[in-house]
Each structure stands twice: as C-alpha cells, then as structure tokens.
Amino acid sequence: MTGLTPPDDRRAPITPQLALRVAILGGIALALFAIVFFRLWFLQVLSGDQYLAQASTNRVRDVVVQAPRGEMIDRHGTPLVENRRAVAVVVSPPKLPQAPAARRRELTTLSGVLGMSPRPRRCRVGTEVVRVMELDCLVRRGVWNLPYADVTVKIDLARDVGFVLAERAQQFPGVSIEPVFLRSYPYKTVGAQLFGTVGQVGGGQLKQQHFRGVRGGTIVGQSGLEYTYDRYLRGRDGATRVQVDALGEAKGYLRSRAPAQGANLRLSLDLGLQTAGQAALAKGIELANGNGNPSQGGAFVALDPRNGEVLAMGSAPSYDANLFARPLSQHAYDVNFGDGTNHPLINRAISAAYPVGSTFKIVTATAALVAGIITPGTVYDDTGTFREGALVRRNAGGVSYGPVSLRQALQVSVDTFFYDLGARLNADPTTHPNGGALQDWARRYGFGNPTGIDLGGEVGGIIPTPRWRDSRNRLQARCVRAFQKRPRAARRAYPSGCVFADGTNRSWSEGDNTSLAVGQGDFLATPLQLAVAYAAIENGGTVVRPHVGLQITDPAGRVLQQIAPRPARRVAIPDTDLQAIRDGLHAAAQESGGTSFDVMGTFPKPVYGKTGTAQFTGRADQSWYVAYVPDPVRPIVVACTVESGGFGAEAAAPAVRLILSQWFGVRKQVIAGSSHTL
Amino acid sequence: MSATPTPIQRSVEQITARRGPRLLLDPWLLLATLGLIACSLVTIKGATRNDIPGSPLYFFERQAGYAVVGVLLMLALTRFDYSRLREFKLPVYGALIGLNLLVLGLGSVARGSRRWISLPFFQFQPSELGKLLLIVALSAFVVDRVRRLDERETTARLMLLALGPAALVMIQPDLGSALVYVTVALAILFVAGTPGRHLGGLIGLFAVATVLVLAVAPAAGVHVLQPYQVERLTGFVNPSHDPRNATYQVNQSLIAIGSGEKTGRGVAHATQTGLNFLPEHHTDFVFSVVGETYGFAGAALVLSLYALLIWRTLRIVTLAKNLFGALIAGGVLAMLMYQVFVNVGMTIGIMPITGVTLPLMSFGGASYLTTFLALGLLQSIHVQGRIAQTSKGRALVLS
C-alpha cells in the first residue's frame, strides 16, 4: 500500500463473528434500556399521583387523643354518670427488648409492679395456645388483634404505681403511661341497670350503621343509654398529626385537633325519685319477707303519663355501676353477679315479663265496655263462684259480693265479674285465630310488643291467642318427639327441656280467655307495659312511647336536641267508659272497702290504683300495684312489682305509696295493706 | 517502559508529544463518566444532608474525594499499555483468590455479611476490585487458549476459573457480586467466540442450579442461601405481599420513584429520602433518590448517560488492537451493564434485591475506584487501539 490512508479507513479489522456478537450485545442493551424507560414512564408519569399519595400517608401518623364522653345528668342537672381521669399502662410491642430473655425479664418486673402473676399459664392467642405469663398473654393478644398498635395492659393504676413507672421509665423500654377517661357513677347503685357500659368498639361493630364513622379502638357505648345515645355522647377524639420517619419517631408536628368532649345527655329521671324508688322497692321486699314471703327481687317504673318521660325506673337487686367502669376480674364478677345473686344485671322493669294478675282488669273492662257487652251500669250477681263446664272458679278467699257493677268490681276486685266477661269476650278460635276483643284491646294498650323505650334488652311479653297456643303445642310436640328419638341430641338442642306448653296439647278453650281476663294463664307483661297502659287511662287514650333520654345538651347546658318520641298510638275509648274505669280505680284506692284503701286511703292526693296478685304453681304469689295521680302540674303513674311478695296490697302498694310521697313531698309512711284479693 | 525505545514506541511518543494523550481518549466516554460523577455528587449531597447530624457534607466530601482520586487513577491508567497485564495473569488471579480468602479470615462483619477489610483510611471491599481482577485474568487465560475455543474442555476450564472466586464471594455472603462474576465470565466467553452451544449449555446448567438452590435444596433441608437472600429473590414477584419485611425496601423504592412524577419533588420535599423510608438511600437505592428528587427528567438523564457509557464501551470492543483488549472491554461492558440493570431494575421493582451498587452513582470507595479502574482500562484500550491504527498506517509508510 502506498501513500497515507485517511485515518478513518485505517480501523483495525474485526472478524464478522465479533461484529455479530457485539451487535447482539448492543441489541440486548437497547432492549434493557427500553424496558427501564417504559417502566419509569409508567411509574412516574402514569401512576405518579398514586405513589405521591402513598408517600404522603407514609410520612404522616395520627396520634389519637381520647375525647371524654358526654355526661349523663338527671332532669334537674345533677350528674349521674361522670368521667374520671385515670392512668393506663400501655405497651408498645415493637419497642420491647428483642432478645427473648431481656423481654421476659422486663415483663416479669412489670408484672410485679402491676401486681400480676409472673407464672406462666395457658394463653390462647388466635388459634394458637402458648404458655406465657399473664402480662405477656395480654401483649400477644393485643398484637394478634391489631398488629402495630399499642396494647393497653392495665387501666386505672394506683397513683403510687404510676409514679414508680414514670420514675423508672428507662428500666421499662416500650412501656408508657397514658391518661384515659373512665366512667364514674357517684350514686353507685342508683339507676345502675339503665346507663349501660362502654368499651372499645369491636371489629364487627365497625360495620354497623349505628357506629358509622367510628375509628377502630374508639370507646363506644355497648349497652343501655350509653349505646342508644352513643352518637351524641361519644365526642370526637383529638388527633395530633405528626410527621414521622421510617422508625416511627416523630420528626415534627403538622397540625393537631383538640379532642371534643361528647354532648351531655339529660335524662328524664328525677334523682330524688329514683333514689326513693329504689329504697321503696327494697322496703316492699322487706315487708314481703316480714310476711314470710321469700322475695328477693322486684321492679318499679314511674312515668309522666302525658309524654312517657321515665321519672324513675329501678330493679332489685341492683349493683354498684362503678364495678364496670374498669375491667372486672372473673372472681369479682362471680361474687357480684354469679350464682345466688339473683341476676342483678337484669333490668326487671323492662326485661322481665310476668303474669300481672288483677292489674290487667282495666283491659278486660275496656274491651267489654267498648264491645257493648256491658255498660257502666250493668249489674252482675256474684255468687262467689264461676262455673265453666266442670271447672269451678272462686273469688279470692271464697267471698261472695252479691250484685256488683263495674265500679265495685274494680274497687274490691271481684274475679267472677271478670271471669264472666272473659268468657263472654271469647271469640271462636277457628274464625278468630288471633283472639277476640280482649286480645285486641291488650294489643292496643301496648301489651305483647316492646314499648320501644330507649334502653336495650326490652321484652314484649305474651298475649295468648288460639294461634299462639297452637304454635306452642307444635313446638312442645316437636321437642317431645326429639327426646323420644334421640335424647342425646335433644338435650343439647333443648337444654332446659320441653317447656313450650303445659304438655296437655289442648287447643284454645274458653277457659284460656277467662284466665286472661284476670291477668293469669299464659299472659306475660313487663312493669313498664303496665305503666304505659295505666298512663293511657290517665291521659285519655294516648299510648305513650316511654323514654329515659330527655335532651342532648352541650357542656354549657344549651339544648342541642330535644328527645320527644311520638306516642305509639291513640286508642279511642268513649268518655263514659273511661270514666267508669277511672271511678273504679279511684274507689279501689281511696274508698272504704277498696283493695288498697288501707294503703292509699290517707294519701292527700287523688290516687287511682289497682292491686294485683299473680299466682304461680309451686311458688309464692307475685305482688303488683299500679297507680296514677292525675295532678294537673306533675301527674305520675307508677307500676311496681315484688317477686314472690304475696298479695298486691302487702308489698307493692306500700312501695308505691312511698314513691308517690316522694314525688308530692308528702311525709313518707310505710303502710302495708291487708286486702287478700287477687 | 524499556530504556531503548523501539521505533513504534518512539512514534507513539512523537504522536503523543505532538497531539497530547488526551486527544486519544474517547471524549464521549469521558463525558459520560464526568456527567455521572456530577449526578452522583448532586444526588448524594441532597440525600445525606441529614444523615449525620452536624456534618451535612460528610458523604458528599468523601464521595468527591473518591471521585478525584478515581479520575486521577483512571487518567494514569490510560497512559499504560494494558497488553502488558497479560504477563501478570497468574499474580492477578492469585490476588483475586487471596483477597477474597483474606476477607473471609479477617473481614469485618456488616449486616450479617463479611465483605470488608478495614484499612487505615477506608474500608476495602475485595469483591468489588475482584470483578476487575477476574476480567483481566480471565481475558488473559482465554487469549492463551484462543485456538482451542471450540473444545468443550476449554469452556469448562475457563468457567471453573471464574466459578472459584464466585463461590468465595458467595460465602461472604455477597450474592450480588458472585452473580456479577458469573455474568462477566459468560460475556468474555461470548466475545471471545465460544460456540453458542457451549454457552447455551452453561446457561442451562445455571438454570438447573438456581432451581436446586431455591427449591430442591431447602426441601431437602440444605440451605445454600441465607433466608434473607431467598426472600429477596422471591419477594420481588409479589411486592405488596409483605410490606414491612422482605419487600419493604422495594415498596418504599417504588413509592419514592413514583412520587417523583415528571420533574421530581426537590431535595426539601423528598420525604421518602429525607425521612429514611428509603433504605440505603446513598448506596444501593441511590437511583430511587434520583427518581424521587428529580423525577422522570432526572432519572432519564442518568439513564442516558449510562446508555452513552455502554455505547462507547461496545465501540471500544470493536476498536481494540488485540483480542485481549476486546475481551477486557467485553468484560467491563458486562460488568457495567449487569450492575446498571440489576440495580435500576431493583429500584423499579422488576429485579430482585441483590445488593448490587450502581456504578459511579452509589456512595462507596471500593465500588467507585473499581469502576474508575475499569474505565481507565477502557480508555487505555481506546488509546492503544487508536495508536495501533495510526502507527500501523505510519509503519506501512516507513517500510
């Protein structure tokens, strides 16, 4: 080759194979770059917003500050349910020592400080069972329930224990002390069954409409008034929004929202009446015991007949509501609520349905009058017995009253008079499977269905009808068959045996209606239902919807919302009929010879009252008394029952007199009646 | 250099004397190098300003120091004829094995692995330098047997030479570097002209080995990999599965990059980086910082610089004056490409987490210096290639 070749042409020759392989490498590089570019485009340009949002939530944590719940005050403003500041011990599981030995050492020491046993015991965590100490068990369960959340291991710490932990914070990494609010009930047993309990919202509850908008971990009302009015009482937890780094350490405060205390709930209860009522009920039980009746419980309810405001409601036995303000040990639970305590947690005024005896006669009277079977002047000739086929029913004590009208029949509680009405009001079971006029009127007065009071756990009672009776017989037959075929399985399915019907498998008969006419047989009602029925007599036919909540107020006392539920219905009772019933009730209470004249005769206000004595086989009679005072300023209707308390005038009526005395400021006198009527 | 210069050496000296050595360097490669250094310094300065309280420039100053030393080393290496390294293939290979054995003996433990040797001034990570030593040694061995490349025995022997150090690195354990060794070895064989069926067989063998290590051996009770390595390798398939543990890093990285959007959130507002949600933000996940802070624009710039780097390296493979040069350039190419794609792929969630650093971007002396030495070799191959072309022309004229 001659001459100088231009530099560009003087490249070192490369083999075709190398050229090919370099080209392949270049192709691979090109493909990889393309993939990376497209992926970046997708991440940053197409999905950037989404990742930006994630980055924002990544660095922000909301620290919740518990808001105190609203208080409950009585109708005059006296606090019945308050808040109390307490300290809780909170464990942050990720900050505990990681080494198992160090972790166990710290938890053992902490157990000692908190008075818990450090001995290992069985602990169920989800589906697993491990053997760890009590404190570790709490921590593990907490982590299992809500991972990454702190676990509250002890609420309401004694002051000195709190100081110990605060002073030695360095000894206990991952353990902190936080202020919490606990419920406090200054009047202890007063109204204990009404207020209900509070607790952390459960996983399932979060999905319910009732707790819409509640965040996990919030303390909400779980029963009673706390549950019904939770929306108002709850308040709004405060939140401090902090910027955190990857370890969860706070790096700065973004903004914070102060906790807002819940609104107060003003109740229709009158603290004086409530306290006196519970004392009166206790007195009634005491009177019954004095008569040799083994009474252990009872209930009363006082309503404003105009609007259904519950002025007082009590159930015996009661309990100290403060027991539930903090976690209750199994032992404490057993002592206070276990066997032999006669179910203090049940609010017998709304959750227990009983036969009501003669207090039901106002319903029979209404039905007979409105149906035109009798008029107020119709006279019935009482011979002391009432024959119904082979069955002979007698008046209590076998007394014979001679010719009586409705007024006298109510005054002295003539059973035969109402047996007769019951028999005549009986409808043909085939054409009227739901019963006749008597059942209709029982339903109109509000029996057979819950009244709709703003407390949980209300029962509706039973109005016996031909159809009801048949269905019970069918249930009984099925149960009996089950026991015959497979006794083992049947015992599991029917733990209390076959108790659906009397076992005779007899269908509806006239006798059922006769028993119903005097509040016996299969009829069951709550004290509250009875009070509502008598309120309708007092107010001229309005069946009120009882309520304990009265107003929602802000902490300064301004009314945010009035609670005034509309009446359930109005029943039309002709004035003359109504007047006849009222006359009978007044005569029973305050005219000589009346069943409760001994008790109410000297009361300075007009009292309209009816005794009742519900009979049970194999048990003492249940004492009932229902009365109202149609005062123009402060009318009241009171229903009271004493379980196994004997005759109505012996136990329940004296208790009602004490309650009325409190309401009208009359000197309280314990006067027991002697009437032995049903 | 020898005392009595040969005619060719003299002519080289004449040329370099006349036109200066810098003009023989590949200017685009140099531009890509300096550009990436600048990007690295800017990114690290922003990302680490809060890492060490009181000294916001701690990492920046060190990285700048490494860069200066590295660039000087690189420039020095360009004046040296890489071909002479062939003579030292045995010492080089011995150093590769020796250093990695040394680290197993007296290395310091960091995060469960023994990868570092503490020297007075900095910690030294032999597996990084080892990549380059392997490239040089293996290239020399390949050149020795270039006439017998068709034989299966040659391929097997060469591969065993690479797998030895790779196994040592794996024990440390440094899975990422071990995989680099294997990739580099495959690339050198590929460039050298090893028959396709041999390479295919090797890749098949690796696939079988992977299945054995990941699936069969654990079932039989033998755990070749550390549990965290298995989690990382398998976790990227489903990154939202376990956000706090194995795939936490990937998720945080995705959030960081995605939240950068088109133009980035800026240093002050890059919360993923600033609040330490992004792990290893100045080393393994430095690309995520670029993505968050400077957005698609910044990430694309960095990737373009890498593209430039790769393109120029490919070109140097073809320019090399001899096979040794081409093989070294091919090895370096594989090393860079593998690290760039595995690292970037990891940050954008399409590759498993293997602890591979991003060349020239990640903070770290060993990785930085290794990369500069590699780039120095590339420039040397370029310089020698240009000289060979020029002098070949001149020699023809002279003869």
Side-chain angles (χ1 to χ4, degrees):
Chain A
M1 197 183 275
T2 53
L4 204 67
T5 346
D8 282 348
D9 292 348
R10 277 185 258 128
R11 293 180 58 190
I14 58 169
T15 64
Q17 191 198 29
L18 181 60
L20 176 65
R21 293 201 168 187
V22 167
I24 290 173
L25 287 177
I28 293 172
L30 198 65
L32 290 177
F33 271 113
I35 290 171
V36 170
F37 265 102
F38 276 118
R39 175 75 176 160
L40 273 179
W41 178 263
F42 172 76
L43 285 178
Q44 300 193 290
V45 180
L46 299 183
S47 334
D49 293 344
Q50 180 198 330
Y51 285 107
L52 192 58
Q54 283 192 37
S56 308
T57 52
N58 219 350
R59 68 196 173 92
V60 168
R61 293 279 184 286
D62 285 334
V63 179
V64 175
V65 186
Q66 192 194 338
R69 285 176 74 81
E71 298 187 336
M72 293 189 207
I73 56 178
D74 90 332
R75 62 187 303 126
H76 307 298
T78 315
L80 301 179
V81 181
E82 299 175 310
N83 293 307
R84 176 166 68 86
R85 280 176 186 278
V87 281
V89 180
V90 175
V91 171
S92 175
K95 292 182 191 157
L96 287 174
Q98 293 300 303
R103 185 176 187 275
R104 196 161 49 237
R105 212 174 314 123
E106 177 174 336
L107 290 181
T108 306
T109 321
L110 187 61
S111 288
V113 175
L114 299 181
M116 292 174 168
S117 163
R119 276 214 306 278
R121 57 163 74 176
R122 264 174 60 87
C123 167
R124 179 179 285 279
V125 182
T127 53
E128 247 183 291
V129 175
V130 287
R131 280 190 68 83
V132 290
M133 69 183 99
E134 188 185 354
L135 183 59
D136 201 2
C137 183
L138 290 173
V139 173
R140 281 165 196 247
R141 277 193 195 146
V143 171
W144 190 82
N145 283 337
L146 263 179
Y148 311 117
D150 293 352
V151 185
T152 303
V153 295
K154 180 126 184 163
I155 288 177
D156 200 16
L157 210 54
R159 276 175 85 82
D160 48 346
V161 179
F163 287 138
V164 167
L165 283 178
E167 272 170 18
R168 303 197 204 149
Q170 262 119 25
Q171 272 186 31
F172 298 105
V175 177
S176 58
I177 292 182
E178 288 181 6
V180 290
F181 290 100
L182 298 182
R183 280 307 208 188
S184 139
Y185 307 89
Y187 300 98
K188 298 191 170 73
T189 60
V190 174
Q193 290 101 343
L194 308 181
F195 306 131
T197 54
V198 297
Q200 252 187 21
V201 66
Q205 290 178 322
L206 285 172
K207 299 193 189 86
Q208 295 170 8
Q209 177 73 15
H210 189 77
F211 293 115
R212 207 177 53 181
V214 175
R215 12 185 330 156
T218 309
I219 303 290
V220 296
Q222 296 287 5
S223 59
L225 292 166
E226 298 271 21
Y227 177 85
T228 308
Y229 296 105
D230 183 65
R231 194 153 66 88
Y232 306 103
L233 292 167
R234 195 188 304 139
R236 204 178 55 172
D237 285 344
T240 304
R241 187 159 273 210
V242 288
Q243 187 166 27
V244 293
D245 65 7
L247 295 175
E249 302 282 349
K251 287 283 168 186
Y253 292 88
L254 295 177
R255 65 191 156 88
S256 68
R257 192 182 69 202
Q261 176 162 14
N264 289 342
L265 175 63
R266 186 163 159 224
L267 305 179
S268 58
L269 297 181
D270 179 292
L271 176 60
L273 192 69
Q274 178 74 28
T275 313
Q278 289 187 212
L281 182 59
K283 194 74 203 170
I285 294 171
E286 195 189 312
L287 286 172
N289 293 340
N291 292 334
N293 288 312
S295 176
Q296 281 186 29
F300 75 93
V301 55
L303 296 182
D304 185 329
R306 294 170 298 188
N307 46 31
E309 289 173 10
V310 177
L311 303 171
M313 178 186 276
S315 174
S318 188
Y319 61 94
D320 184 352
N322 290 299
L323 281 170
F324 285 104
R326 52 181 168 169
L328 191 64
S329 72
Q330 186 64 45
H331 175 73
Y333 185 89
D334 290 343
V335 167
N336 287 288
F337 307 106
D339 292 343
T341 57
N342 200 15
H343 313 291
L345 293 173
I346 292 177
N347 182 0
R348 289 164 162 78
I350 60 167
S351 304
Y354 306 97
V356 299
S358 299
T359 55
F360 185 76
K361 286 173 181 169
I362 56 157
V363 182
T364 313
T366 314
L369 287 168
V370 176
I373 289 175
I374 55 165
T375 64
T378 305
V379 173
Y380 171 79
D381 190 18
D382 171 42
T383 59
T385 55
F386 176 76
R387 273 176 205 288
E388 198 165 42
L391 183 72
V392 179
R393 296 176 189 258
R394 292 173 205 283
N395 278 329
V399 194
S400 162
Y401 295 101
V404 288
S405 68
L406 175 64
R407 186 174 186 279
Q408 288 150 299
L410 284 172
Q411 181 190 6
V412 297
S413 208
V414 182
D415 291 329
T416 53
F417 182 92
F418 291 97
Y419 288 145
D420 178 53
L421 293 183
R424 287 158 70 187
L425 284 165
N426 187 32
D428 181 358
T430 49
T431 55
H432 294 82
N434 289 323
L438 187 52
Q439 280 82 0
D440 283 346
W441 273 99
R443 278 188 282 270
R444 279 180 212 165
Y445 272 116
F447 294 103
N449 276 307
T451 61
I453 192 174
D454 48 359
L455 298 170
E458 190 186 9
V459 297
I462 289 169
I463 301 172
T465 63
R467 176 174 283 168
W468 176 84
R469 190 159 182 93
D470 289 345
S471 77
R472 301 299 284 191
N473 280 335
R474 274 196 300 277
L475 284 174
Q476 179 77 10
R478 189 185 303 158
C479 175
V480 169
R481 260 202 315 281
F483 269 97
Q484 282 164 352
K485 270 189 190 160
R486 273 184 288 168
R488 257 241 188 93
R491 262 196 292 281
R492 269 201 308 279
Y494 303 99
S496 39
C498 297
V499 289
F500 300 99
D502 51 19
T504 58
N505 200 28
R506 134 188 103 69
S507 57
W508 182 263
S509 71
E510 192 184 278
D512 289 312
N513 223 43
T514 319
S515 296
L516 173 61
V518 295
Q520 288 286 158
D522 296 313
F523 180 81
L524 296 175
T526 65
L528 179 66
Q529 285 175 323
L530 214 48
V532 168
Y534 275 74
I537 301 286
E538 195 278 343
N539 64 29
T542 302
V543 179
V544 295
R545 195 178 291 283
H547 55 104
V548 183
L550 191 60
Q551 284 171 346
I552 307 295
T553 65
D554 68 6
R558 282 187 295 266
V559 178
L560 303 178
Q561 193 173 328
Q562 194 77 33
I563 301 164
R566 297 161 59 86
R569 69 189 75 83
R570 275 196 56 84
V571 292
I573 308 169
D575 282 348
T576 49
D577 298 344
L578 196 57
Q579 199 51 50
I581 296 169
R582 285 174 177 167
D583 284 350
L585 292 176
H586 186 55
Q590 290 186 317
E591 270 180 34
S592 178
T595 52
S596 55
F597 176 72
D598 298 349
V599 184
M600 293 296 177
T602 56
F603 196 79
K605 292 268 178 184
V607 177
Y608 296 67
K610 183 79 199 77
T611 54
T613 307
Q615 294 174 306
F616 292 84
T617 35
R619 207 173 102 188
D621 294 345
Q622 180 161 351
S623 173
W624 282 94
Y625 194 71
V626 192
Y628 65 83
V629 177
D631 189 86
V633 184
R634 37 200 284 140
I636 185 170
V637 51
V638 182
C640 179
T641 186
V642 177
E643 291 174 2
S644 304
F647 290 101
E650 284 180 346
V656 171
R657 180 177 169 121
L658 290 172
I659 294 170
L660 291 177
S661 303
Q662 167 72 25
W663 186 244
F664 291 107
V666 178
R667 193 171 65 84
K668 288 186 191 126
Q669 273 180 292
V670 181
I671 307 172
S674 58
S675 167
H676 286 193
T677 52
L678 303 179
Chain B
M1 301 266 162
S2 50
T4 49
T6 61
I8 285 179
Q9 278 170 338
R10 202 183 305 126
S11 70
V12 169
E13 278 156 17
Q14 282 166 3
I15 292 165
T16 52
R18 196 168 71 236
R19 298 166 66 183
R22 273 173 292 119
L23 292 181
L24 290 177
L25 296 178
D26 184 335
W28 292 107
L29 185 61
L30 195 61
L31 177 75
T33 308
L34 296 176
L36 284 168
I37 292 171
C39 287
S40 172
L41 290 177
V42 168
T43 308
I44 285 178
K45 185 172 180 232
T48 63
R49 68 195 199 289
N50 294 325
D51 280 10
I52 295 183
S55 47
L57 296 177
Y58 180 91
F59 288 103
F60 172 76
E61 282 166 355
R62 266 155 195 72
Q63 184 79 340
Y66 296 142
V68 170
V69 173
V71 169
L72 290 178
L73 262 176
M74 177 180 82
L75 290 177
L77 210 52
T78 59
R79 311 200 57 157
F80 170 77
D81 184 356
Y82 67 91
S83 303
R84 299 197 55 194
L85 285 172
R86 248 189 91 185
E87 301 161 24
F88 302 111
K89 62 178 188 262
L90 285 177
V92 166
Y93 191 75
L96 168 64
I97 300 288
L99 280 173
N100 277 314
L101 279 177
L102 199 63
V103 80
L104 281 175
L106 37 100
S108 51
V109 179
R111 272 169 248 150
S113 50
R114 198 177 276 278
R115 301 181 188 171
W116 308 78
I117 294 175
S118 293
L119 292 182
F121 302 107
F122 63 102
Q123 288 188 317
F124 177 68
Q125 198 177 354
S127 61
E128 286 288 342
L129 184 62
K131 293 169 188 167
L132 201 56
L133 296 178
L134 180 73
I135 291 170
V136 172
L138 201 61
S139 299
F141 288 128
V142 171
V143 173
D144 286 350
R145 294 183 73 103
V146 72
R147 307 213 175 276
R148 297 166 61 189
L149 273 180
D150 285 348
E151 295 172 20
R152 205 179 299 157
E153 190 202 338
T154 309
T155 308
R157 279 182 159 193
L158 290 170
M159 212 55 219
L160 282 177
L161 280 174
L163 285 178
L168 284 180
V169 171
M170 188 122 147
I171 300 172
Q172 291 178 8
D174 185 352
L175 184 65
S177 295
L179 290 172
V180 175
Y181 284 23
V182 173
T183 311
V184 160
L186 283 174
I188 289 174
L189 290 179
F190 183 72
V191 174
T194 298
R197 58 179 193 284
H198 291 185
L199 292 172
L202 281 176
I203 290 168
L205 272 180
F206 288 131
V208 170
T210 309
V211 171
L212 279 177
V213 166
L214 281 182
V216 180
V222 182
H223 294 280
V224 182
L225 292 179
Q226 306 286 329
Y228 83 93
Q229 290 177 325
V230 177
E231 276 180 12
R232 283 171 166 186
L233 287 174
T234 53
F236 88 104
V237 179
N238 183 11
S240 47
H241 163 64
D242 184 13
R244 301 289 297 192
N245 298 315
T247 51
Y248 170 81
Q249 299 182 334
V250 175
N251 267 337
Q252 295 300 340
S253 172
L254 284 177
I255 293 173
I257 292 180
S259 65
E261 298 192 286
K262 288 183 194 115
T263 52
R265 305 172 74 186
V267 173
H269 299 109
T271 52
Q272 287 292 101
T273 309
L275 297 172
N276 285 325
F277 284 103
L278 200 57
E280 313 280 339
H281 51 70
H282 59 299
T283 55
D284 292 4
F285 283 93
V286 72
F287 188 76
S288 314
V289 178
V290 175
E292 184 185 21
T293 316
Y294 305 104
F296 184 72
L301 173 69
V302 170
L303 281 179
S304 306
L305 289 171
Y306 280 118
L308 184 61
L309 194 74
I310 302 268
W311 168 47
R312 297 313 287 185
T313 311
L314 271 169
R315 193 169 165 273
I316 287 169
V317 174
T318 65
L319 277 179
K321 69 174 176 185
N322 50 23
L323 182 62
F324 187 52
L327 292 182
I328 291 178
V332 172
L333 174 79
M335 179 180 93
L336 292 176
M337 260 173 69
Y338 180 87
Q339 297 201 60
V340 168
F341 287 110
V342 170
N343 181 283
V344 171
M346 162 182 93
T347 63
I348 58 179
I350 57 174
M351 283 283 189
I353 299 179
T354 44
V356 169
T357 56
L358 190 57
L360 291 178
M361 286 294 292
S362 291
F363 176 85
S367 129
Y368 229 46
L369 294 183
T370 305
T371 312
F372 279 120
L373 287 176
L375 291 171
L377 278 178
L378 284 182
Q379 293 283 18
S380 168
I381 296 163
H382 185 262
V383 169
Q384 294 299 325
R386 295 301 296 268
I387 290 170
Q389 284 175 358
T390 331
S391 55
K392 196 185 281 171
R394 180 154 306 204
L396 284 169
V397 172
L398 288 173
S399 61

